[in-house]
Amino acid sequence: MLKSIHFPDCEFEAGCDEAGRGCLAGSVYAAAVIFPKDYENELLNDSKQLTDKKRKQLREIIQRDALAWAVGIVTAEEIDQINILNASILAMHRALDQLTIRPERIIVDGNKFKKYKDVPHETIVKGDGKYLSIAAASILAKTYRDDYMDEMAEKYPYYDWQKNKGYPTKKHRQGIVEHGLTPIHRMSFNQLGTPEPQLPFE
């Protein structure tokens, strides 16, 4: 079972995670979640380990049970300006900005983060499989981003986004070859195959 809290002396600990970092198209989404200190939920897990149906069910539970939650978004145009790593962190900061409770501590999935105001933070590799708040953030970010990509799939129907959600699948890249790029494609990404360049973390 995932742990409820990382900092034992903390009343309001926010977990953060993002979704869509490796996509060729669309905004990157992030979420921040604060649960009660003694919160328990045996169903919560890393969003990648759950079915779409289960994620959507859990989203309702998370939004009901959380003391505070929020979703932050950074557009493809902004990603092209500041790079995807910085954009992912900015999306987390935007989620934190919207919380109705100011967190005393922040825990973040992964190994990169920028200080948020004067709030202490800790990065935790595979944190979405260790802490309830990070797992919940991963579910919110993933489900809200999937909803957005489903809408974009109706607007731009040639890229199979209703299935791949903007990730670089064969059908997505075939759509790019046949129909070109859309306004929500990330122009700084190599759209047709070779690995993306490692951009500076600033």
Side-chain angles (χ1 to χ4, degrees), residues 17-21 23 27-30 138 141-143 145 167 186:
D17 201 2
E18 54 75 28
R21 185 168 159 180
C23 296
S27 304
V28 64
Y29 277 56
S138 77
K142 170 67 174 166
T143 55
R145 188 180 189 281
Y167 282 91
R186 301 172 183 177

Side-chain angles (χ1 to χ4, degrees), residues 83 123 152:
N83 85 42
T123 56
M152 292 299 100

Side-chain angles (χ1 to χ4, degrees), residues 127-139:
D128 48 4
K130 297 174 183 176
Y131 291 95
L132 290 167
S133 62
I134 300 179
S138 77
I139 290 166

Side-chain angles (χ1 to χ4, degrees), residues 155-187:
K155 189 173 183 180
Y156 305 106
Y158 305 114
Y159 306 93
D160 202 35
W161 288 342
Q162 68 276 13
K163 292 184 181 176
N164 63 50
K165 309 305 183 193
Y167 282 91
T169 62
K170 184 177 179 180
K171 280 192 175 182
H172 187 172
R173 287 194 158 123
Q174 183 180 344
I176 293 170
V177 170
E178 294 176 357
H179 299 278
L181 298 172
T182 71
I184 71 159
H185 274 98
R186 301 172 183 177
M187 303 304 175

Side-chain angles (χ1 to χ4, degrees), residues 29-42:
Y29 277 56
V33 177
I34 300 175
F35 280 130
K37 188 174 181 178
D38 59 352
Y39 185 68
E40 294 182 3
N41 189 322
E42 294 182 359

